[in-house]
Amino acid sequence: MSGTVLPGTPIAVDFWSLRRAAGARLFFLSHMHSDHTVGLSSTWSRPLYCSPLTARLLHRRLQVPMCWIRPLEVGQSHVLGEVTVTLIDSNHCPGSVMFLFEGTFGTILYTGDFRYTSAMQSEPALRGRHIDRLYLDNTHCHPQRALPSRALATHQAAHLIRAHPQHHVVIGVYTLGKETLLVDLALEFSTWVVVSPWRLEQMRLLELPDVFTAEEGAGWIRAVDVAEIRWDTLDSWNALHPTIAIIPTGRPMKVTHPNIHLIPYSDHSSFAELCEFVKWLKPCSIVPIVKADMCQAYFQEYLSSAPQVLPDFKVPKPVQESGQQQSQRRGQKPMSLWKRAMSRSVPRGVVYESPEKNTEKPEAFIDVKVPQHYCEPAPCSIEGCTRHMGEKEKLSGEQLGTTGAAPVSSEHLATGFAEQYLLTPLNVLKQNRSRTFDELVEGFFRQGDTP
């Protein structure tokens, strides 16, 4: 299965096992090839994000209810809660996209299956972008996988067809992909491409040029499922009329018949194209999408030396303490009222662990630098956000119990003081930096004594 949950994020791409989704809440589909839809069916009942064309194919082929399919326009940025995503054409098959994710976890580019072209360097969403982590389609990530461009491969196919002027031509393709090759050959030789009725319906759904027909004998080029190109079918076709078969693929295959011809036409990037892409993009790190084929060593010299927002991604977990963790805390000092106030004054849902690690805590509250932006108590990417600045100085219950303080319940104290502090203008807080935190609390209690 070509899919994954992105560690440290609430994002899953081409991954449809909810049981193994590790807390993912945002599900994305890069394209409609079957190895990317394993586990996806008409019973799916979560919002699912994809390109508009993939949305139509998804509903038609897998009967996923339209109420769960959320098509996103390609080339535009979309805000989904704490995540911003931009869809970029991946040049792989109709409807296929790359995903550029931005959030407190940094910036992640997930290529999905893609065929790199130099035109991608003009993509506004990628130009000059700092990429913390690149999930890379490494299908052909080997120096020996030299592939021509698709234009050159199309020229090779046309040359082969011209070398057999009296033959019919059968081209083996998958359920989705290689449509551009078929259209180019139809226009080159001014002939219809004969396809099955269901494939013709799909070609119309994809809004391709009108070069396809389901009428047998209308044209001498035919597109069939690649699995149909075998020794026995070639014999039967040649018994009726001289026929050659073409399999457009970038993968090495064993040819089982003299009339079967391989053309190096691939919808995946060649090794040279991958190197050019990574060298231009300069990500901080690379994760291969095809897990069985590790390829990071080939690109080490092209990686950026800039620090990542997330040096080490961690699998997201809901903030829940185990019984063992609770028992370990029993011998510790009680939670400070500052922390309790913050926790009670804000509704808490599922909170993902902070991406910051080993954050140093300030010695005293008066040394905390007041930020210039107010941030909601959710993960925030704004520089200086108090959520990522470490804990304030702990204050015990005895410190709060100063002489003359009115008896106030802990709940009222927590919510009231936190409310007052959070609503205090920044310039007032700056003016009061010389006052101790105890004095601020004592002033709050005195206000409570006023009738």
Side-chain angles (χ1 to χ4, degrees):
M1 178 173 62
S2 298
T4 189
V5 176
L6 308 191
T9 79
I11 298 167
V13 183
D14 299 339
F15 192 91
W16 313 110
S17 173
L18 293 177
R19 182 177 57 84
R20 298 164 50 210
R25 295 180 285 105
L26 298 173
F27 294 86
F28 296 85
L29 175 61
S30 64
H31 63 291
M32 273 297 295
H33 279 162
S34 59
D35 57 326
H36 293 257
T37 59
V38 176
L40 189 56
S41 68
S42 60
T43 62
W44 182 260
S45 57
R46 300 284 191 283
L48 181 160
Y49 301 94
C50 60
S51 69
L53 187 51
T54 296
R56 297 202 297 270
L57 292 170
L58 179 62
H59 179 64
R60 174 182 177 269
R61 285 173 49 180
L62 296 183
Q63 287 78 51
V64 173
M66 285 301 297
C67 63
W68 296 117
I69 302 175
R70 311 290 166 82
L72 302 176
E73 288 299 325
V74 179
Q76 298 181 13
S77 296
H78 307 268
V79 179
L80 306 174
E82 70 273 30
V83 175
T84 300
V85 59
T86 305
L87 279 63
I88 303 167
D89 187 353
S90 70
N91 193 36
H92 175 68
C93 71
S96 64
V97 293
M98 299 186 278
F99 295 110
L100 181 69
F101 298 111
E102 299 171 89
T104 57
F105 46 78
T107 303
I108 298 173
L109 178 63
Y110 192 99
T111 68
D113 291 351
F114 87 122
R115 182 75 194 254
Y116 170 78
T117 67
S118 57
M120 290 180 178
Q121 297 188 19
S122 301
E123 174 58 48
L126 295 179
R127 194 167 53 240
R129 177 77 64 171
H130 170 86
I131 302 296
D132 291 293
R133 184 152 295 195
L134 171 65
Y135 284 81
L136 183 66
D137 172 17
N138 56 316
T139 300
H140 295 313
C141 187
H142 195 281
Q144 295 180 354
R145 292 287 183 91
L147 293 168
S149 66
R150 286 190 291 197
L152 183 56
T154 301
H155 178 75
Q156 292 181 21
H159 179 75
L160 175 65
I161 292 172
R162 287 193 181 94
H164 298 80
Q166 305 302 319
H167 287 66
H168 287 178
V169 179
V170 179
I171 301 176
V173 293
Y174 293 105
T175 56
L176 183 67
K178 310 292 194 301
E179 289 84 5
T180 302
L181 171 64
L182 299 176
V183 171
D184 289 344
L185 292 178
L187 297 177
E188 176 73 19
F189 295 101
S190 302
T191 181
W192 291 97
V193 177
V194 180
V195 296
S196 63
W198 78 263
R199 193 182 291 272
L200 178 62
E201 182 184 351
Q202 177 169 282
M203 297 301 188
R204 290 171 176 168
L205 183 68
L206 299 176
E207 300 179 351
L208 295 172
D210 186 20
V211 298
F212 300 97
T213 180
E215 182 182 348
E216 289 292 338
W220 49 272
I221 295 179
R222 186 163 27 142
V224 301
D225 190 278
V226 68
E228 292 186 43
I229 299 183
R230 306 183 304 271
W231 183 284
D232 58 327
T233 53
L234 258 297
D235 281 349
S236 62
W237 291 333
N238 276 278
L240 299 174
H241 193 280
T243 302
I244 61 170
I246 295 175
I247 300 179
T249 180
R251 294 182 173 91
M253 293 181 62
K254 183 178 180 180
V255 176
T256 60
H257 194 283
N259 281 14
I260 297 178
H261 302 269
L262 302 182
I263 295 295
Y265 185 105
S266 179
D267 288 326
H268 295 270
S269 302
S270 68
F271 178 76
E273 290 166 347
L274 291 175
C275 289
E276 183 181 339
F277 179 64
V278 175
K279 184 177 181 179
W280 168 71
L281 197 64
K282 291 182 174 60
C284 294
S285 63
I286 293 177
V287 178
I289 291 178
V290 182
K291 306 297 191 301
D293 185 11
M294 300 294 110
C295 65
Q296 296 95 320
Y298 295 123
F299 308 113
Q300 200 64 37
E301 62 180 304
Y302 305 133
L303 300 184
S304 171
S305 58
Q308 296 184 58
V309 172
L310 265 181
D312 295 309
F313 283 76
K314 299 177 71 175
V315 176
K317 301 175 183 177
V319 177
Q320 296 178 349
E321 285 189 327
S322 65
Q324 183 179 4
Q325 290 173 321
Q326 291 176 357
S327 63
Q328 290 175 350
R329 269 204 321 122
R330 285 176 187 147
Q332 299 176 359
K333 295 180 181 180
M335 177 188 292
S336 67
L337 286 177
W338 167 259
K339 290 171 66 180
R340 193 187 310 164
M342 292 299 293
S343 65
R344 292 195 183 187
S345 62
V346 179
R348 299 292 290 266
V350 176
V351 180
Y352 288 86
E353 294 179 350
S354 169
E356 303 292 343
K357 298 185 70 175
N358 302 321
T359 304
E360 293 189 7
K361 302 177 183 179
E363 289 294 326
F365 174 79
I366 59 174
D367 293 329
V368 175
K369 183 178 179 181
V370 179
Q372 297 300 314
H373 298 277
Y374 173 74
C375 301
E376 294 290 339
C380 178
S381 60
I382 299 178
E383 184 177 358
C385 176
T386 55
R387 181 170 179 81
H388 302 293
M389 290 184 60
E391 298 178 356
K392 306 298 182 289
E393 179 188 26
K394 290 190 176 182
L395 206 61
S396 67
E398 288 75 16
Q399 288 175 296
L400 286 174
T402 53
T403 305
V408 184
S409 70
S410 61
E411 182 174 2
H412 179 270
L413 166 66
T415 56
F417 183 76
E419 241 178 57
Q420 176 173 316
Y421 180 77
L422 291 175
L423 295 177
T424 301
L426 292 178
N427 60 334
V428 175
L429 292 176
K430 290 180 179 178
Q431 293 171 3
N432 293 331
R433 286 183 66 187
S434 60
R435 299 174 59 192
T436 66
F437 190 67
D438 294 341
E439 291 173 343
L440 292 176
V441 175
E442 187 175 352
F444 172 76
F445 283 150
R446 288 199 183 100
Q447 292 178 13
D449 286 335
T450 304

